[in-house]
Amino acid sequence: MNGLSILSRGILLALIWWLLTGGDAASWWIGVPAVALALIISIALLPSSNLVWHEFLIFIPFFLLRSLLGGVDVARRAIDPRMPIAPTLFEYPLRLPIGLPQIFMANTVSLLPGTLSAELSTNCLTVHVLDCRGGFLAELEAVEQRVARLFDTSLKTSNGDE
Amino acid sequence: MSIAHFYALVGVGLISLGLYALIVHAHLLRKILAINVMGSGIFLLLVALAKRTGTALPDPVPHAMVITGIVVAVSATALALTLMLKLSAQTGCAELPDDEKE
Amino acid sequence: MTLIDYLTVVLLLAGAIFFFAGTVGLLRFPDVYTRLHALTKADNVGLGLMVVALAIQAESWAAVGKLLLIWLLVMLAGASVAHLVARGALRRGIRPWKQ
Amino acid sequence: MQTFYLALALFLLLTLGAGMWRVLRGPTAADRMLAAQLFGTTAVAVLLLLAQASGNAALRDVALVFALLAAVTAVAFVQRAWPKQKQEQEQPQETERDVD
Amino acid sequence: METVMVAWMFDSLLGLGLLWLAWQSLACSDLFKAIVLFIAFGLLMALAWVRLEAPDVALAEAAIGAGLTGALLMVALAQLQSIETNGDAAVATVKKGHCIRPLQWLLLIALSLMATGLGYVIISFPAHVPGLSTAVATHLEASGVSNPVTAVLLNFRGYDTLLELVVLLLALLGVWSLGGTVPQQTTTPAPLVLEALTRLLVPMLILTAAYLLWVGAHAPGGAFQAGSVLAAAGVLLLLIGRHPRAALMALPLRLILVLGPATFVAMAVVTMLIEGALLKFPPEHAGKLILLLETTAMLSIGATLAALFLGGRRHTDKEHS
């Protein structure tokens, strides 16, 4: 883990401390040791990942919009008297590198319209799809692209569609 | 009736429910739940009665007692669960032996 | 009531509708997987709208940040728990409902 | 405004009550657990509303603790308490009745 | 006026919901269902504390009720079921309630008499009593903190808290003396998503615990709440199969466990010698001394609760392997 990513993680934790305490300057007597301890534990627990921070600025609005649509979509189906759902299981071959990118993808997918990740095994994400008639595959591919950019990796080309 | 009285009555209800279940049920896990419900009822009674200060802040002394009470209750529950598991591992049954039948 | 207040009211009501829809889905949907869809997504959006509604009323930036942090944590926990429950259900051979 | 916040909190409490039906009904252990999850999220929303209604910022901390620990019970369930391949076969019957 | 009415509706629904959940939890046939209902009951209790203007209590209930209680009960039930399936169905015959019908009715009558009596006493209580709140308010200045609940816990009635810490320790000793040795772990690896969740949450839980410790001096929070949040971090780590090594379990854990009570006792002795009274702090140093006490108490409470969770698991793990 390099110095820069430790520093940025430390800043993030310090920012959270600031949020929690409402910016009280006197709180840093406890805040500094607490942030340091949390940082040490977090380094021990969580391996470094090359997150591209500025990509978040693009990812967040995309994610918020899609998850809002996800909520609208499922709410509509739940309230509609006919309950238009046609669920199916779908095995999506992941092209992201193993580790945090895949986990991030699995968690993101669960909040997007009509998809719920149900199993994450090596390079394969089993997705429960609420309505198999929709274009969920294009959605999954789009998310994968964006997650790849977020983690500064390229998708493996073994599937031939890159 | 004020809100304090209302919650205090709910507390009494919980105590009675818990006590009844504690006596009636044979299964030990259920007895442990029942004791916890009773405890919650007593805590509710204490905190509700502490609110009768009018407009001022509620009486902090019962609050402090209840906070420690909650933590002590959970550790007592852990001990009781261990005892239950120990008993059922030895007798194959998570119930107390019935005196009348034996 | 100022314009901000109206906005808060609208967003809060919208949030409440999503919570309602989530519960309807929990009650109506046919199997555990579809219910997970309803609960995770609808409640997440419902809470999100409420957080935004309350954030524009908040007294300081730190309070706004704390509200957003709460939402983020619920989102993380919700998505993870949904995955874990769906995974467990698959592994235990609970078959997804098909029409 | 205060009345409105409280009324919304009341409404959320009512949806919680409706969600209890799923806990009682099941049919699988996972369904019951889901309702507990619903309780967690909704309680966070209720706490935030109460915090706004009473002007007591400390209630946000309660909501924060709820949000942080919402997953612990579910994790305990998934990792430890979920019976492995026990007859959770009531599923098809229940679904047939629930459709249409 | 409307606000009061809506508040009353909220409170009635909450109160009745609490009673209903407790009743269902204690009466339903399925034990797992009973536990889920009990967890829901705990979550609603936290809302009741909020309505009763007891946010300190709500924090403690949220930390314990949402995290520890549920995990403890679920794990215990799973172990119980594995014992029962291993040890044949000889149990199934004695499942019925062991109380004879007429006695049950007698009990019901006695309990309703008790409840009516208690209810009558409560109704006849005066609506406004200052209690000890004025006494606390007048001495709050000298306590070293501005949150009255923390002042009561750590200063005015510090001896209570001291004994409470000892009780926690005794409970753990009880569990340990029943539990046997630390087992060899043979758990399957945790799902990746769960690993990631835990790794993200644990630093957050540590920060939050520290925050609750700090904020307890002037707003709701304090050592008990912070300790419970810390314990939740420990429980999460234990649930994904991250066990402390046996070497680490022995001495350092024991030191942390006694750190809180030991500091308290030391402080009690010192104040007795200097100030002439048990846990009577000089006002000018009270704030710092309370912070010291709270920090050690938090660590001990967190470690004790997490160890209680681990301790409950030991003996079945041993049986499994």
Side-chain angles (χ1 to χ4, degrees), chain A residues 17 20 24 27 34 42 45-46 103, chain E residues 193 196 199 203 207 210-211 214:
Chain A
W17 179 263
L20 289 175
D24 192 323
S27 76
S42 119
L45 285 176
L46 208 62
I103 296 168
Chain E
V193 168
R199 285 151 189 260
L207 271 192
Y211 163 65
W214 169 76

Side-chain angles (χ1 to χ4, degrees), chain D residues 74-95:
Chain D
V75 169
F77 166 70
V78 170
Q79 285 291 89
R80 295 266 149 192
W82 202 344
K84 292 212 165 51
Q85 266 110 28
K86 244 178 99 184
Q87 56 291 53
E88 304 228 54
Q89 292 305 330
E90 315 106 290
Q91 192 72 7
Q93 293 173 1
E94 143 82 4
T95 54

Side-chain angles (χ1 to χ4, degrees), chain B residues 24-48:
Chain B
V24 165
H25 284 290
H27 199 285
L28 285 173
L29 187 59
R30 194 82 70 165
K31 280 187 194 285
I32 293 173
L33 285 184
I35 290 178
N36 271 299
V37 167
M38 271 179 81
S40 295
I42 290 165
F43 296 156
L44 197 57
L45 187 64
L46 280 173
V47 174

Side-chain angles (χ1 to χ4, degrees), chain E residues 252-314:
Chain E
L253 176 70
R254 277 150 213 256
L255 280 180
I256 294 177
L257 288 175
V258 297
L259 184 64
T263 318
F264 241 112
V265 169
M267 199 78 88
V269 171
V270 169
T271 48
M272 186 105 99
L273 294 177
I274 297 176
E275 297 283 320
L278 196 71
L279 290 170
K280 180 171 182 284
F281 302 130
E284 63 273 21
H285 299 302
K288 285 177 203 115
L289 291 177
I290 285 180
L291 185 62
L292 174 68
L293 275 184
E294 282 210 287
T295 312
T296 54
M298 168 187 80
L299 292 173
S300 287
I301 292 168
T304 312
L305 292 178
L308 278 170
F309 179 75
L310 178 69
R313 295 175 36 174
R314 266 183 207 176

Side-chain angles (χ1 to χ4, degrees), chain B residues 4-87:
Chain B
H5 286 104
F6 171 71
Y7 277 107
L9 288 181
V10 173
V12 169
L14 290 177
I15 295 170
S16 320
L17 266 175
L19 190 53
Y20 179 75
L22 178 67
I23 297 171
V24 165
H25 284 290
H27 199 285
L28 285 173
L29 187 59
R30 194 82 70 165
K31 280 187 194 285
I32 293 173
L33 285 184
I35 290 178
N36 271 299
V37 167
M38 271 179 81
S40 295
I42 290 165
F43 296 156
L44 197 57
L45 187 64
L46 280 173
V47 174
L49 292 180
K51 199 178 179 290
R52 295 174 305 143
T53 46
T55 48
L57 279 176
D59 189 349
V61 179
H63 289 195
M65 284 159 69
V66 169
I67 289 170
T68 52
I70 288 174
V71 179
V72 167
V74 82
S75 47
T77 303
L79 180 58
L81 288 171
T82 313
L83 279 167
M84 174 191 82
L85 289 173
K86 205 73 187 170
L87 181 77

Side-chain angles (χ1 to χ4, degrees), chain D residues 6-76:
Chain D
L6 270 177
L8 268 189
L10 177 66
F11 175 76
L12 290 184
L13 207 57
L14 282 171
T15 65
L16 265 192
M20 283 317 294
W21 189 82
R22 190 44 81 197
V23 182
L24 295 181
R25 217 20 235 294
T28 65
D31 290 297
R32 301 191 206 285
M33 211 46 230
L34 275 194
Q37 191 66 20
L38 166 85
F39 264 67
T41 319
T42 315
V44 168
V46 171
L47 283 168
L48 291 179
L49 285 170
L50 290 179
Q52 192 73 25
S54 65
N56 188 352
L59 298 187
R60 290 200 196 117
D61 292 341
V62 184
L64 176 78
V65 170
F66 255 84
L68 268 171
L69 301 186
V72 175
T73 312
V75 169

Side-chain angles (χ1 to χ4, degrees), chain E residues 191-243:
Chain E
L192 289 172
V193 168
L194 178 54
E195 283 265 341
L197 175 74
T198 309
R199 285 151 189 260
L200 281 172
L201 276 186
V202 167
M204 267 308 300
L205 285 166
I206 290 172
L207 271 192
T208 310
Y211 163 65
L212 289 175
L213 186 71
W214 169 76
V215 84
H218 54 83
F224 282 87
Q225 293 88 340
S228 313
V229 170
L230 266 193
V235 168
L236 264 179
L237 286 173
L238 290 172
L239 277 172
I240 66 164
R242 288 215 148 210
H243 286 261

